[in-house]
Amino acid sequence: MEAFRENRTAAVTGAAGGLGACFSRKLAKRGYALLVIDRREPQVQQLGDELATKYGIRAEALTADLTDDDAVKSVAHRLATTPSLELLVNNAGFGLAKYVIDADVEQHLDMIRVHVMATVRLTCAALPGMIERNRGSVVNVSSLAAWTPCAGGVPYASTKAYVAVFSQGLQDELRDTNVRIQALCPGFVYTDFHGADGMKSFDPEKVPKQLWMSPDDVVECSLKNLSRRRVIVIPGWRNSILGRFMQMPVLQPIVRAIARRERSHDTEAGANERGKTDG
Ligand SMILES: NC(=O)c1ccc[n+]([C@@H]2O[C@H](COP(=O)([O-])OP(=O)(O)OC[C@H]3O[C@@H](n4cnc5c(N)ncnc54)[C@H](OP(=O)(O)O)[C@@H]3O)[C@@H](O)[C@H]2O)c1
């Protein structure tokens, strides 16, 4: 990766935790000025202050809930009017391990808003300046789940598939420029992601330890690959091999069968109850 210059700015969404905080720390260490964006005001502010003090960089915290279109538009405006913007990391996201019929439809739609709509709007805001300067990168955090459209993971897999396909096609449109698009597709990463409310029916203990990675290794892999033309980046050699198999259409039924989650009895009961009350 080429040397970072002080007047380069990186914007990271979902910066207050997990992979986002890790991206922010590593970029600050490399001398980027930072726009750290998250919905948790004290945490993102604290991160910005910490990075500014520790690395002597400019770090600004923006509080935005990316399910709110007005908040996304305001962040987009900020990106479009930041002439030193060199890197955008569309990282904010969350999981939802429920059958479509059992999930609150608003949770499903919020996932589309955060993973898809915010990613598209922020990317479209960042690109014109990057194209004009003929440099810059957008990292869209997808997932290996993009190739696992299985029962119990439909909203997540479908939104992450959108992110991967969007990134691939977009890089093709930008082939005559030095602007790079990456779809980062991690497998299982040790963050707070699996502890969230929507992931209660997911048991991390059932996943072999060998398939887990640290945020540090995932982010390092993403940053190393920024100067390459590869769009789909799958961190870790095990995941990389797994990902290649998962992308083969002929193996898709097997992948879906392995990844399939049984319907949680709790939510089934809840849905039945709702059905009774709704008449
Ligand atoms: N961990 C994994 O195994 C894994 C694997 C593949 C891909 N990923 C992807 O990696 C990305 C980062 O996840 P992570 O593992 O670092 O999880 P995390 O530790 O839960 O961090 C996600 C961050 O995104 C923020 N966020 C969620 N919804 C938001 C919203 N509406 N507006 C603004 N910020 C929002 C979260 O804030 P709150 O804490 O307030 O919700 C949190 O700070 C996600 O896109 C995820 O899908 C994760």
Side-chain angles (χ1 to χ4, degrees):
M1 199 175 170
E2 59 184 313
F4 288 78
R5 291 207 307 260
E6 291 237 341
N7 59 356
R8 292 179 170 191
T9 299
V12 181
T13 69
L19 289 171
C22 189
F23 265 111
S24 304
R25 290 204 168 86
K26 283 185 182 287
L27 292 167
K29 197 172 175 187
R30 284 160 160 86
Y32 272 100
L34 278 176
L35 281 175
V36 283
I37 303 148
D38 206 294
R39 62 179 167 184
R40 286 177 288 163
E41 211 263 327
Q43 282 89 341
V44 75
Q45 190 63 56
Q46 199 180 333
L47 177 73
D49 293 347
E50 176 204 317
L51 297 179
T53 310
K54 190 165 177 189
Y55 298 106
I57 52 139
R58 278 181 299 117
E60 190 182 337
L62 299 180
T63 309
D65 183 336
L66 301 182
T67 60
D68 174 355
D69 201 37
D70 286 339
V72 179
K73 280 180 185 162
S74 151
V75 176
H77 177 73
R78 187 56 206 275
L79 298 182
T81 53
T82 301
S84 59
L85 185 71
E86 290 268 341
L87 176 61
L88 165 64
V89 185
N90 283 308
N91 162 79
F94 60 97
L96 186 57
K98 282 182 185 171
Y99 273 49
V100 170
I101 197 77
D102 295 325
D104 178 345
V105 70
E106 286 306 326
Q107 279 182 305
H108 192 154
L109 293 172
D110 277 351
M111 185 168 274
I112 296 171
R113 289 181 187 109
V114 177
H115 293 178
V116 177
M117 292 169 68
T119 295
V120 171
R121 189 179 288 286
L122 299 186
T123 302
C124 290
L127 277 182
M130 289 184 178
I131 294 168
E132 198 184 317
R133 297 184 289 275
N134 199 26
R135 63 168 194 253
S137 306
V138 179
V139 174
N140 292 322
V141 181
S142 174
S143 168
L144 265 191
W147 297 282
T148 323
C150 65
V154 176
Y156 192 71
S158 50
T159 53
K160 291 300 185 181
Y162 183 97
V163 171
V165 174
F166 173 69
S167 304
Q168 282 178 304
L170 188 56
Q171 180 65 85
D172 216 29
E173 291 185 356
L174 295 168
R175 63 193 293 176
D176 295 332
T177 74
N178 284 324
V179 179
R180 300 276 181 277
I181 310 293
Q182 179 187 111
L184 177 65
C185 301
F188 297 98
V189 192
Y190 289 115
T191 65
D192 291 341
F193 178 87
H194 300 95
D197 276 357
M199 295 297 289
K200 273 183 184 148
S201 67
F202 175 81
D203 182 2
E205 297 294 321
K206 288 190 177 155
V207 179
K209 286 211 164 32
Q210 296 84 339
L211 293 183
W212 287 87
M213 289 182 73
S214 69
D216 205 74
D217 289 343
V218 170
V219 171
E220 205 53 53
C221 173
S222 168
L223 296 178
K224 269 194 189 132
N225 275 282
L226 271 188
S227 57
R228 302 185 188 148
R229 285 216 172 253
R230 182 183 300 160
V231 181
I232 301 292
V233 170
I234 302 177
W237 66 269
R238 290 186 184 88
N239 287 332
S240 196
I241 294 171
L242 210 60
R244 266 163 221 220
F245 284 119
M246 287 163 79
Q247 287 174 59
M248 292 178 186
V250 69
L251 294 179
Q252 269 289 307
I254 301 171
V255 170
R256 283 208 291 276
I258 295 171
R260 181 187 171 84
R261 295 184 200 123
E262 290 315 313
R263 194 171 173 194
S264 151
H265 293 297
D266 287 351
T267 45
E268 252 183 283
N272 289 341
E273 267 321 297
R274 275 202 304 279
K276 275 182 210 160
T277 346
D278 296 345

